[in-house]
Coordinates of all heavy atoms in Angstrom, one line a residue:
F28 N 81.6 181.9 118.9 CA 82.0 183.2 119.4 C 81.7 183.3 120.9 O 82.5 183.8 121.7 CB 81.4 184.3 118.7 CG 81.9 184.5 117.2 CD1 81.3 185.4 116.4 CD2 82.9 183.8 116.8 CE1 81.7 185.6 115.1 CE2 83.4 183.9 115.5 CZ 82.8 184.8 114.6
K29 N 80.6 182.7 121.3 CA 80.2 182.7 122.7 C 81.2 181.9 123.5 O 81.6 182.3 124.6 CB 78.8 182.2 122.9 CG 78.2 182.4 124.3 CD 76.8 181.9 124.4 CE 75.9 182.7 123.6 NZ 74.4 182.3 123.7
A30 N 81.7 180.8 123.0 CA 82.7 180.0 123.6 C 84.0 180.6 123.7 O 84.7 180.6 124.7 CB 82.8 178.6 122.9
I31 N 84.4 181.3 122.6 CA 85.7 181.9 122.5 C 85.8 183.0 123.6 O 86.8 183.2 124.2 CB 86.0 182.5 121.1 CG1 86.3 181.3 120.2 CG2 87.2 183.4 121.1 CD1 86.4 181.7 118.7
R32 N 84.7 183.8 123.7 CA 84.7 184.9 124.7 C 84.9 184.4 126.2 O 85.3 185.1 127.0 CB 83.3 185.6 124.6 CG 83.2 186.5 123.4 CD 81.9 187.3 123.5 NE 81.9 188.3 122.4 CZ 81.2 188.2 121.3 NH1 80.4 187.1 121.1 NH2 81.2 189.2 120.4
Q33 N 84.6 183.1 126.4 CA 84.8 182.5 127.7 C 86.1 181.8 127.9 O 86.4 181.3 129.0 CB 83.6 181.5 128.0 CG 82.2 182.2 128.0 CD 81.1 181.2 128.2 OE1 81.0 180.5 129.3 NE2 80.3 181.0 127.2
A34 N 87.0 181.8 126.9 CA 88.3 181.1 127.0 C 89.1 181.7 128.1 O 89.1 182.9 128.3 CB 89.0 181.2 125.7
K35 N 89.8 180.8 128.8 CA 90.7 181.3 129.9 C 92.2 181.0 129.6 O 93.0 181.7 130.2 CB 90.3 180.5 131.2 CG 88.9 180.7 131.7 CD 88.7 182.1 132.3 CE 87.4 182.2 133.1 NZ 86.2 182.1 132.1
S36 N 92.5 180.1 128.7 CA 93.9 179.7 128.5 C 94.4 179.8 127.1 O 95.4 180.4 126.8 CB 94.1 178.3 129.1 OG 95.4 177.9 128.9
S37 N 93.7 179.1 126.2 CA 94.2 179.0 124.8 C 93.0 178.9 123.8 O 92.0 178.3 124.1 CB 95.1 177.8 124.7 OG 94.5 176.6 124.9
I38 N 93.3 179.5 122.6 CA 92.3 179.4 121.5 C 93.1 179.0 120.3 O 94.1 179.7 119.9 CB 91.6 180.7 121.3 CG1 90.8 181.2 122.5 CG2 90.6 180.6 120.1 CD1 90.4 182.6 122.4
H39 N 92.8 177.9 119.7 CA 93.5 177.4 118.5 C 92.6 177.3 117.3 O 91.5 176.6 117.5 CB 94.2 176.0 118.8 CG 95.3 176.1 119.8 ND1 95.7 175.0 120.5 CD2 96.1 177.1 120.2 CE1 96.7 175.4 121.3 NE2 96.9 176.7 121.1
L40 N 92.9 177.8 116.2 CA 92.1 177.8 115.0 C 92.9 177.4 113.8 O 93.9 177.9 113.5 CB 91.5 179.2 114.8 CG 90.8 179.9 115.9 CD1 91.7 180.9 116.6 CD2 89.5 180.7 115.4
E41 N 92.3 176.4 113.1 CA 92.9 175.9 111.8 C 91.8 175.9 110.8 O 90.9 175.1 110.9 CB 93.5 174.5 112.0 CG 94.1 173.9 110.8 CD 94.7 172.5 111.1 OE1 94.7 172.1 112.2 OE2 95.1 171.9 110.1
Y42 N 92.0 176.7 109.7 CA 91.0 176.8 108.7 C 91.7 176.9 107.3 O 92.8 177.3 107.2 CB 90.2 178.1 108.8 CG 89.0 178.0 109.8 CD1 89.1 178.6 111.1 CD2 87.9 177.3 109.5 CE1 88.1 178.5 112.0 CE2 86.8 177.3 110.4 CZ 86.9 177.9 111.7 OH 85.9 177.8 112.6
F43 N 90.9 176.5 106.3 CA 91.3 176.6 104.9 C 91.5 178.1 104.6 O 92.4 178.5 103.9 CB 90.3 175.9 104.0 CG 90.8 175.8 102.5 CD1 92.0 175.2 102.2 CD2 90.0 176.2 101.5 CE1 92.4 175.1 100.9 CE2 90.3 176.1 100.2 CZ 91.5 175.6 99.9
N44 N 90.5 178.9 105.0 CA 90.7 180.3 104.8 C 89.8 181.1 105.8 O 88.8 180.6 106.3 CB 90.4 180.7 103.4 CG 89.0 180.4 102.9 OD1 88.0 180.7 103.6 ND2 88.9 179.7 101.8
F45 N 90.3 182.3 106.1 CA 89.5 183.3 106.8 C 89.2 184.4 105.7 O 90.1 185.1 105.3 CB 90.3 184.0 107.9 CG 90.7 183.1 109.0 CD1 91.9 182.3 109.0 CD2 90.0 182.9 110.2 CE1 92.3 181.5 110.0 CE2 90.3 182.1 111.2 CZ 91.5 181.4 111.1
R46 N 88.0 184.5 105.3 CA 87.6 185.5 104.3 C 87.6 186.9 105.0 O 87.1 187.1 106.1 CB 86.2 185.2 103.8 CG 85.8 186.0 102.5 CD 84.6 185.4 101.9 NE 84.1 186.1 100.7 CZ 83.2 187.0 100.7 NH1 82.6 187.4 101.8 NH2 82.8 187.5 99.5
N47 N 88.2 187.8 104.3 CA 88.3 189.2 104.8 C 86.9 189.9 104.7 O 86.6 190.6 103.8 CB 89.3 190.0 104.1 CG 89.4 191.4 104.6 OD1 89.2 191.7 105.7 ND2 89.8 192.3 103.6
D48 N 86.0 189.6 105.7 CA 84.7 190.2 105.7 C 84.2 190.4 107.1 O 85.0 190.4 108.1 CB 83.7 189.3 104.9 CG 83.6 187.9 105.6 OD1 83.9 187.7 106.8 OD2 83.1 186.9 104.8
S49 N 82.9 190.7 107.3 CA 82.4 191.1 108.6 C 82.6 190.0 109.7 O 82.8 190.3 110.8 CB 80.9 191.5 108.5 OG 80.1 190.4 108.0
I50 N 82.4 188.7 109.3 CA 82.5 187.6 110.3 C 83.9 187.5 110.8 O 84.2 187.4 112.0 CB 82.0 186.3 109.7 CG1 80.4 186.3 109.7 CG2 82.4 185.1 110.5 CD1 79.8 186.3 111.1
A51 N 84.9 187.5 109.8 CA 86.3 187.4 110.2 C 86.7 188.6 111.1 O 87.4 188.5 112.0 CB 87.2 187.3 109.0
S52 N 86.2 189.8 110.7 CA 86.5 191.0 111.5 C 86.0 190.9 112.9 O 86.8 191.2 113.9 CB 85.9 192.2 110.8 OG 86.5 192.5 109.5
L53 N 84.8 190.4 113.1 CA 84.3 190.2 114.4 C 85.1 189.2 115.2 O 85.4 189.4 116.4 CB 82.8 189.7 114.3 CG 82.1 189.4 115.7 CD1 82.2 190.6 116.6 CD2 80.7 189.0 115.4
L54 N 85.4 188.0 114.5 CA 86.3 187.0 115.2 C 87.6 187.6 115.6 O 88.0 187.4 116.8 CB 86.5 185.9 114.2 CG 87.5 184.8 114.6 CD1 87.1 184.1 115.9 CD2 87.8 183.8 113.5
F55 N 88.3 188.4 114.8 CA 89.6 188.9 115.1 C 89.5 189.9 116.3 O 90.4 190.0 117.1 CB 90.2 189.5 113.9 CG 90.6 188.5 112.9 CD1 90.5 188.8 111.5 CD2 91.1 187.2 113.2 CE1 90.9 187.8 110.5 CE2 91.5 186.3 112.3 CZ 91.4 186.6 110.9
D56 N 88.4 190.7 116.3 CA 88.2 191.6 117.4 C 88.0 190.9 118.7 O 88.6 191.3 119.7 CB 86.9 192.5 117.1 CG 87.1 193.6 116.1 OD1 88.3 193.8 115.8 OD2 86.1 194.1 115.6
I57 N 87.3 189.8 118.7 CA 87.1 189.0 119.9 C 88.5 188.4 120.3 O 88.9 188.4 121.5 CB 86.1 187.8 119.7 CG1 84.7 188.4 119.4 CG2 86.0 186.9 120.9 CD1 83.7 187.4 118.9
L58 N 89.3 187.9 119.4 CA 90.6 187.4 119.7 C 91.5 188.5 120.3 O 92.3 188.2 121.2 CB 91.2 186.8 118.4 CG 90.5 185.5 117.9 CD1 91.2 185.0 116.6 CD2 90.4 184.4 118.9
R59 N 91.4 189.7 119.8 CA 92.2 190.8 120.3 C 91.9 191.0 121.8 O 92.8 191.2 122.6 CB 92.0 192.0 119.5 CG 92.6 192.1 118.2 CD 92.5 193.4 117.5 NE 93.2 193.5 116.2 CZ 92.6 193.3 115.0 NH1 91.3 193.0 115.0 NH2 93.3 193.4 113.9
E60 N 90.6 190.9 122.1 CA 90.2 191.1 123.5 C 90.7 190.0 124.4 O 91.2 190.2 125.5 CB 88.7 191.2 123.6 CG 88.1 192.4 123.0 CD 88.6 193.7 123.7 OE1 88.6 193.7 124.9 OE2 89.0 194.6 123.0
K61 N 90.7 188.8 123.9 CA 91.2 187.6 124.6 C 92.7 187.7 124.9 O 93.2 187.3 125.9 CB 90.9 186.3 124.0 CG 89.4 186.0 123.8 CD 88.6 186.3 125.0 CE 88.8 185.4 126.2 NZ 88.0 185.6 127.4
R62 N 93.4 188.3 123.9 CA 94.9 188.4 124.1 C 95.2 189.4 125.2 O 96.1 189.3 126.0 CB 95.5 188.9 122.8 CG 95.8 187.8 121.7 CD 96.7 186.7 122.3 NE 98.1 187.2 122.6 CZ 98.7 187.0 123.7 NH1 98.2 186.2 124.6 NH2 100.0 187.5 123.9
K63 N 94.4 190.5 125.2 CA 94.5 191.5 126.3 C 94.3 190.8 127.7 O 94.9 191.3 128.7 CB 93.6 192.6 126.1 CG 93.9 193.5 124.9 CD 92.8 194.6 124.7 CE 93.1 195.4 123.5 NZ 92.0 196.4 123.3
E64 N 93.5 189.7 127.7 CA 93.3 189.0 129.0 C 94.4 188.0 129.2 O 94.3 187.3 130.3 CB 91.9 188.4 128.9 CG 90.7 189.3 128.8 CD 89.4 188.6 128.6 OE1 89.4 187.4 128.8 OE2 88.4 189.3 128.2
G65 N 95.3 187.8 128.3 CA 96.4 186.9 128.5 C 96.2 185.5 127.9 O 97.0 184.6 128.2
V66 N 95.1 185.3 127.2 CA 94.8 184.0 126.6 C 95.7 183.9 125.3 O 95.9 184.8 124.5 CB 93.3 184.0 126.1 CG1 93.0 182.7 125.4 CG2 92.4 184.1 127.4
E67 N 96.3 182.7 125.2 CA 97.1 182.4 124.0 C 96.2 182.2 122.8 O 95.2 181.5 122.9 CB 97.9 181.1 124.3 CG 98.9 181.2 125.5 CD 99.5 179.8 125.7 OE1 99.5 178.9 124.9 OE2 100.0 179.6 126.9
V68 N 96.6 182.8 121.7 CA 95.8 182.7 120.5 C 96.7 182.3 119.3 O 97.7 182.9 119.0 CB 95.1 184.0 120.1 CG1 94.3 183.8 118.8 CG2 94.1 184.4 121.2
R69 N 96.4 181.1 118.7 CA 97.2 180.6 117.6 C 96.2 180.4 116.4 O 95.2 179.7 116.6 CB 97.9 179.4 117.9 CG 99.0 179.6 119.0 CD 99.7 178.3 119.4 NE 100.7 178.6 120.4 CZ 100.4 178.5 121.7 NH1 99.2 178.2 122.2 NH2 101.4 178.8 122.6
A70 N 96.4 180.9 115.3 CA 95.6 180.7 114.1 C 96.4 180.3 112.9 O 97.5 180.9 112.7 CB 94.7 182.0 113.9
M71 N 95.9 179.4 112.1 CA 96.5 179.0 110.9 C 95.5 178.9 109.7 O 94.4 178.5 109.9 CB 97.2 177.6 111.1 CG 97.9 177.1 109.8 SD 98.7 175.5 110.1 CE 100.0 176.0 111.2
F72 N 96.0 179.4 108.5 CA 95.2 179.3 107.3 C 96.0 178.8 106.2 O 97.3 178.9 106.2 CB 94.5 180.6 107.0 CG 95.5 181.7 106.6 CD1 95.9 181.9 105.3 CD2 96.1 182.5 107.6 CE1 96.8 182.9 105.0 CE2 97.0 183.5 107.3 CZ 97.4 183.7 106.0
D73 N 95.4 178.2 105.2 CA 96.1 177.6 104.0 C 96.4 178.7 103.0 O 95.6 179.6 102.7 CB 95.3 176.5 103.4 CG 96.0 175.9 102.3 OD1 96.9 175.0 102.6 OD2 95.7 176.2 101.1
G74 N 97.6 178.7 102.5 CA 98.0 179.7 101.5 C 97.2 179.7 100.2 O 96.8 180.7 99.7

């Protein structure tokens, strides 16, 4: 999370799953802030 907060250009995430809980919520909040800064965010999870 500390590294993601310092991203300047792109953040790419590939996971088997993002569990809908407090950690995922915090991650998505950080990603929302990075999008506001113009950082590209791409995330993929398995069905």
Side-chain angles (χ1 to χ4, degrees):
F28 290 174
K29 190 176 292 185
I31 289 173
R32 285 188 172 102
Q33 298 177 63
K35 298 287 190 294
S36 177
S37 62
I38 302 165
H39 293 159
L40 308 98
E41 179 182 351
Y42 278 105
F43 188 53
N44 58 53
F45 296 88
R46 190 169 183 261
N47 178 32
D48 62 21
S49 59
I50 283 291
S52 295
L53 177 55
L54 171 62
F55 293 143
D56 285 344
I57 298 170
L58 295 178
R59 286 185 175 97
E60 290 302 313
K61 299 313 293 184
R62 280 299 297 134
K63 290 176 184 177
E64 296 171 15
V66 175
E67 299 173 19
V68 177
R69 298 178 179 89
M71 179 178 292
F72 63 92
D73 183 79

